[in-house]
Amino acid sequence: IEGLNLCTSGSATSCEECLLIHPKCAWCSKEEFGSTKSVTSRCDFLQNLIANGCAGAIENPSSSISVVRNVPLSSKGSGQTHLDVTQITPQKVALDLRPGDQTSFRVQVRQVEDYPVDLYYLMDLSLSMNDDLDNIRNLGTKLAEEMRKLTSNFRLGFGSFVDKNISPFSYTAPRYQNNPCIGYKLFPSCVPSFGFRHLLSLTDKVDRFNEEVQKQKVSRNRDAPEGGFDAILQAAVCKEKIGWRKEASHLLVFTTDDVPHVALDGKLGGLVQPHDGQCHLNEANEYSASSQLDYPSLALLGEKLAENNIHLIFAVTKSHYILYKNFTALIPGTTVEILHKDSKNIIELIVKAYNSIRSKVELTVWDSPEDIGLTFTATCQDGLSYPGLRKCGDLKIGDTVSFEVAVEARSCPAEDTSHTFTIKPAGFRDTLEVAVTYKCLCGCTGRAAPASGKCSGNGTYACGLCDCDPGYLGARCECPEGASGDTHHALCRQAEGKPLCSGRGECSCNQCLCYESEFGNIYGPFCECDDFSCARYKGVLCSGHGECHCGECKCHAGYIGDNCNCSTETDSCVSSDGQMCSGRGACVCGKCQCTEPGAFGETCEKCPTCPGVCSTKRDCIECKLFNSGRLADNQTCQKHCKDEIITTVDVLEADDPNAILCAYPVNNCVMKFTYLELPSGKSNLTVLKEPACSSAPSAVTIVLAVIGSVVLIGIILLGLWKLLVTIHDRREFDRFQSERSRARYEMASNPLYRRPISTHNIEFTFNKLNKSYNGTVD
């Protein structure tokens, strides 16, 4: 066994410890085993123990499986003996597991034809479902007709629900006791609210279903959510009153147009006691614990539905489809369909859901122990294996699918412990019982001999080893502890304060017995040396080019370095042109280290940006395409140009920015090509089919071009001159206009102008005819 030896590295001191390390580990119980100079591990791979001479005394138990009951699968469900219908095989297996040793068995499941069906119709009778109630009054007859196309043995039951009749979920004031719809103009009369009412046990007389539906009237609750989860749980656990048959497929159709109350909602009404998951139907078949217990949780619903093999079908309106779709992920074996607001599509919905249920098989596990690991691999109708899957879909009635179940014990429980768990398809009554026992004890342990002479009378001999009594040491319990024991140990230390035998061996009466190691040999008087504690290169000891001696690599010829990874050979650095690293690097430890920027390759032969590369590629083009050039010899061309992929084109396209364009003259023409270095190390050369040639221009053309250029330049200069003059004139005119606007020569504003008329006001007073006058003279 190459590589790491898990068995010897585990340092097992007993057979039981060895078995726990790895399922491939075995224990040698032979008395005389191993070398007298070293401690040979009794815990090792089976091949190693046999090679070391332990054949016939090896403890190596393995996991085993036995099929206890295996009744063949049935092909048809209905008949006189429904209890004999088998849809899963085998029905019981017994496993004896060694920890870590995985074993597997195959399970087959078949959806038999014409299997009996029990369908319980659970309806929301809150006020908003009044129109739905009108449309299902003849549902029993129509549904029975459709279901009998799928099974000849069909029974139908009926129940209804509203919500808990306590505040704040329902109207509880005295005036609402008999009619919670009082004062509601749209629907002034309805029956009192109730939690769940079982109305019709499962029966094949569908007329009774129609009669019960005809009697029903809607009720009214206060809040929007309904108490449907209470009703689902009671319909699942009250098996006797509902009438679920063990030999039938159980369908529970839940119809509603609103969201449900869930666990902890009951605290709003003072209900703090969690649901106990029990049946609480009274003599009147009404849910009696509605005002005592909280709403059930999704986990409790899933558990009780699975226990009673019930497929739950949510028939809900489109606005609540997403919510109930999320519920199906939390409740195994549940489907959801969209119900029209008036329930007109209920029959189509039920048939569709039933076909969907019958088209898939999913395994569930019950009571699996924590120390047991299970892995499933499904083999469906396409014949392919799907590791990690435990379900198959798109099945037809009568199809058989199989599952490979791998079982592994992770640890050893207490002695004489056994476990039992169950595997069953979701919604099926059929189960597979798996009984588990554990192989954790070695057979040699039962043959232990106390005070054995093999242990100098000072210990118990078991499984090839001595378990010394207190006060004794040594492989045969031959050395007493105490002062004399210290004397025996003194010669096993390399120096004072050092561990016994360097911590890598046992001191047996003055002599070190070195441990065996999965990495190599431990040796030396004090177990101080080994042949594996040397420098490594890429995980390889001494790079594979040397030997390890007591912590130091002794390199083979042609190699140097602490880990012997540096080769002194240079042949691998010589390029195809005979140069060392193509003249673009240096040979270090047998490998080229490229120093030229852009160079790469084993011999630095690749260098798209190096000068002269185009010349090298040109030689390959000439020899391969035209059989010319310095490499025209066929063998030389093939040798030097083996990595060149040449393609000829009519026009070169520069669509790759990494491609390098090269050109060289050919008979007064130019041959152009591009090359691109590929990740594989090859070069992709794209070459023109024909060289690009062009004729020299005539003298007349040159003269005319020169004259035209001079004239054009003159016109441009004249235009620039005219533009500058125009700009200058406009600036001068604008300046003149500005100064003119600031001049004030008008008479009204000229500061030198004086009006010829002046006005003076003189105030005087005089008497005339004994009258006084005041006035002004201008």
Side-chain angles (χ1 to χ4, degrees):
I1 303 295
E2 298 181 356
L4 178 64
N5 191 323
L6 296 173
C7 304
T8 58
S9 64
S11 301
T13 59
S14 68
C15 182
E16 284 73 18
E17 289 182 8
C18 179
L19 299 185
L20 288 174
I21 293 174
H22 192 272
K24 297 295 183 182
C25 294
W27 180 267
C28 179
S29 61
K30 188 177 180 180
E31 180 181 355
E32 299 295 335
F33 176 69
S35 170
T36 58
K37 297 294 184 181
S38 65
V39 179
T40 303
S41 176
R42 292 179 176 272
C43 184
D44 206 338
F45 292 114
L46 178 64
Q47 298 93 320
N48 295 344
L49 293 179
I50 295 175
N52 290 332
C54 192
I58 296 176
E59 296 284 341
N60 186 29
S62 59
S63 298
S64 61
I65 178 174
S66 61
V67 178
V68 179
R69 187 167 62 254
N70 188 18
V71 179
L73 294 172
S74 303
S75 58
K76 193 172 182 180
S78 292
Q80 295 182 351
T81 56
H82 300 314
L83 293 177
D84 294 335
V85 176
T86 302
Q87 297 187 96
I88 184 172
T89 186
Q91 293 78 43
K92 184 176 182 178
V93 296
L95 305 178
D96 197 7
L97 301 179
R98 173 182 171 176
D101 187 19
Q102 189 180 82
T103 188
S104 61
F105 56 90
R106 184 166 292 275
V107 179
Q108 290 186 315
V109 182
R110 176 187 295 165
Q111 294 265 29
V112 300
E113 299 179 10
D114 197 20
Y115 197 70
V117 175
D118 286 347
L119 188 150
Y120 192 80
Y121 193 89
L122 188 56
M123 184 175 183
D124 177 5
L125 286 186
S126 59
L127 195 58
S128 57
M129 294 287 286
N130 184 55
D131 54 345
D132 302 72
L133 184 60
D134 293 335
N135 286 321
I136 69 164
R137 296 195 184 279
N138 295 315
L139 172 65
T141 304
K142 298 177 181 178
L143 180 59
E145 291 176 358
E146 291 296 325
M147 291 300 295
R148 287 195 175 109
K149 297 177 182 178
L150 305 174
T151 175
S152 61
N153 195 332
F154 175 69
R155 296 200 312 168
L156 188 62
F158 182 61
S160 62
F161 66 92
V162 182
D163 206 345
K164 294 182 182 296
N165 194 19
I166 60 174
S167 181
F169 311 117
S170 298
Y171 293 93
T172 57
R175 64 190 298 258
Y176 295 116
Q177 287 296 316
N178 297 322
N179 182 11
C181 293
I182 289 179
Y184 188 59
K185 296 182 180 179
L186 297 178
F187 204 92
S189 178
C190 58
V191 300
S193 180
F194 56 91
F196 166 65
R197 187 174 291 158
H198 169 52
L199 300 170
L200 177 66
S201 297
L202 291 163
T203 178
D204 55 0
K205 299 177 180 179
V206 295
D207 290 340
R208 291 191 57 195
F209 180 90
N210 296 337
E211 293 173 2
E212 288 297 331
V213 174
Q214 295 283 349
K215 299 176 184 176
Q216 302 311 306
K217 294 183 180 180
V218 294
S219 182
R220 183 188 182 197
N221 57 326
R222 173 173 287 178
D223 60 351
E226 319 290 5
F229 280 6
D230 271 341
I232 292 175
L233 186 62
Q234 294 304 298
V237 299
C238 298
K239 296 179 288 186
E240 291 76 14
K241 292 199 173 185
I242 301 298
W244 297 115
R245 293 177 293 177
K246 291 183 178 180
E247 68 277 9
S249 179
H250 303 159
L251 303 182
L252 177 57
V253 180
F254 176 84
T255 61
T256 185
D257 63 350
D258 220 318
V259 300
H261 277 298
V262 295
L264 300 181
D265 283 359
K267 288 188 175 182
L268 297 174
L271 305 180
V272 296
Q273 184 177 350
H275 206 291
D276 57 6
Q278 301 300 316
C279 178
H280 293 284
L281 291 185
N282 57 23
E283 294 180 356
N285 285 333
E286 290 192 1
Y287 180 40
S288 60
S290 181
S291 58
Q292 286 85 40
L293 300 178
D294 190 10
Y295 297 97
S297 64
L298 290 171
L300 182 61
L301 279 181
E303 177 185 343
K304 295 303 178 182
L305 289 171
E307 280 183 4
N308 296 284
N309 309 318
I310 295 175
H311 290 285
L312 176 61
I313 302 172
F314 286 125
V316 299
T317 52
K318 186 175 182 180
S319 58
H320 301 297
Y321 176 80
I322 298 299
L323 173 65
Y324 284 91
K325 184 67 174 177
N326 293 334
F327 287 160
T328 63
L330 303 174
I331 306 176
T334 304
T335 58
V336 58
E337 299 291 344
I338 296 178
L339 178 71
H340 292 174
K341 291 186 177 181
D342 54 5
S343 295
K344 285 186 177 180
N345 68 326
I346 186 63
I347 295 179
E348 176 187 351
L349 182 152
I350 292 173
V351 173
K352 179 181 177 183
Y354 176 74
N355 288 330
S356 174
I357 291 169
R358 296 279 282 168
S359 69
K360 58 187 177 184
V361 171
E362 180 177 2
L363 296 186
T364 60
V365 181
W366 290 75
D367 303 322
S368 176
E370 293 183 357
D371 61 346
I372 295 293
L374 295 174
T375 304
F376 293 84
T377 299
T379 304
C380 302
Q381 282 303 107
D382 55 8
L384 301 178
S385 295
Y386 298 94
L389 286 184
R390 59 172 73 180
K391 64 180 178 180
C392 288
D394 299 326
L395 303 178
K396 297 179 181 178
I397 301 299
D399 286 346
T400 303
V401 294
S402 63
F403 300 88
E404 189 78 17
V405 184
V407 188
E408 178 183 346
R410 300 190 183 98
S411 62
C412 276
E415 191 174 347
D416 298 329
T417 298
S418 62
H419 293 112
T420 301
F421 64 92
T422 303
I423 297 175
K424 60 174 293 187
F428 285 49
R429 70 174 178 87
D430 304 71
T431 62
L432 165 60
E433 182 182 343
V434 182
V436 180
T437 54
Y438 299 86
K439 289 183 176 180
C440 293
L441 294 178
C442 297
C444 58
T445 303
R447 300 188 296 271
S452 172
K454 299 176 181 179
C455 301
S456 306
N458 300 319
T460 300
Y461 180 80
C463 298
L465 292 178
C466 285
D467 183 14
C468 299
D469 296 334
Y472 292 92
L473 299 171
R476 297 297 178 184
C477 306
E478 69 274 23
C479 299
E481 288 184 351
S484 58
D486 293 338
T487 303
H488 290 304
H489 288 169
L491 299 179
C492 292
R493 300 181 192 274
Q494 190 173 10
E496 188 67 27
K498 294 285 187 178
L500 287 174
C501 301
S502 304
R504 303 198 294 180
E506 291 182 358
C507 182
S508 179
C509 300
N510 295 331
Q511 186 177 6
C512 282
L513 298 178
C514 301
Y515 294 140
E516 285 191 347
S517 172
E518 73 275 14
F519 300 112
N521 294 323
I522 300 175
Y523 58 93
F526 306 101
C527 303
E528 74 278 11
C529 290
D530 61 58
D531 59 1
F532 53 83
S533 296
C534 292
R536 297 172 182 266
Y537 178 70
K538 293 185 177 180
V540 180
L541 188 68
C542 297
S543 306
H545 304 304
E547 305 295 335
C548 181
H549 293 284
C550 207
E552 183 180 355
C553 284
K554 304 296 183 182
C555 299
H556 298 159
Y559 291 91
I560 58 174
D562 293 339
N563 53 13
C564 304
N565 70 322
C566 188
S567 174
T568 58
E569 298 291 334
T570 60
D571 293 345
S572 58
C573 295
V574 179
S575 59
S576 59
D577 58 2
Q579 298 186 74
M580 189 68 66
C581 298
S582 303
R584 303 187 182 112
C587 187
V588 179
C589 295
K591 293 185 178 180
C592 283
Q593 291 186 357
C594 303
T595 57
E596 184 77 24
F600 63 96
E602 291 185 359
T603 58
C604 305
E605 72 279 8
K606 308 293 182 182
C607 186
T609 60
C610 293
V613 176
C614 286
S615 176
T616 303
K617 304 298 182 185
R618 168 187 173 178
D619 292 339
C620 290
I621 292 174
E622 288 182 341
C623 76
K624 279 198 166 185
L625 292 184
F626 308 111
N627 196 25
S628 61
R630 69 183 186 88
L631 302 178
D633 179 65
N634 187 51
Q635 292 184 353
T636 306
C637 184
Q638 292 298 327
K639 177 181 178 181
H640 287 271
C641 303
K642 63 181 185 335
D643 293 334
E644 313 299 338
I645 303 173
I646 302 177
T647 306
T648 58
V649 296
D650 293 324
V651 180
L652 285 177
E653 297 181 359
D655 54 352
D656 193 334
N658 296 320
I660 307 298
L661 177 64
C662 297
Y664 63 91
V666 179
N667 298 328
N668 296 325
C669 298
V670 178
M671 174 62 80
K672 296 182 179 180
F673 66 91
T674 61
Y675 75 90
L676 177 67
E677 300 292 351
L678 302 176
S680 62
K682 296 182 179 295
S683 299
N684 190 11
L685 279 67
T686 305
V687 189
L688 286 174
K689 289 182 178 179
E690 299 292 338
C693 300
S694 60
S695 59
S698 63
V700 176
T701 303
I702 295 174
V703 171
L704 292 177
V706 171
I707 294 174
S709 300
V710 172
V711 172
L712 179 60
I713 292 172
I715 293 173
I716 293 173
L717 291 175
L718 286 174
L720 290 174
W721 175 80
K722 180 61 177 176
L723 177 62
L724 293 174
V725 170
T726 301
I727 293 173
H728 179 269
D729 289 347
R730 287 185 177 179
R731 286 179 178 176
E732 290 296 322
F733 180 75
D734 290 341
R735 185 183 304 164
F736 167 74
Q737 288 287 76
S738 177
E739 292 177 353
R740 180 180 179 186
S741 65
R742 289 197 298 270
R744 298 181 180 178
Y745 295 112
E746 291 78 10
M747 291 175 61
S749 60
N750 192 340
L752 301 178
Y753 177 75
R754 294 289 184 269
R755 293 180 62 185
I757 300 173
S758 61
T759 302
H760 303 275
N761 293 329
I762 302 174
E763 294 183 1
F764 63 92
T765 302
F766 65 92
N767 294 325
K768 184 179 180 181
L769 299 178
N770 295 324
K771 295 182 179 179
S772 297
Y773 296 91
N774 293 324
T776 302
V777 177
D778 292 334

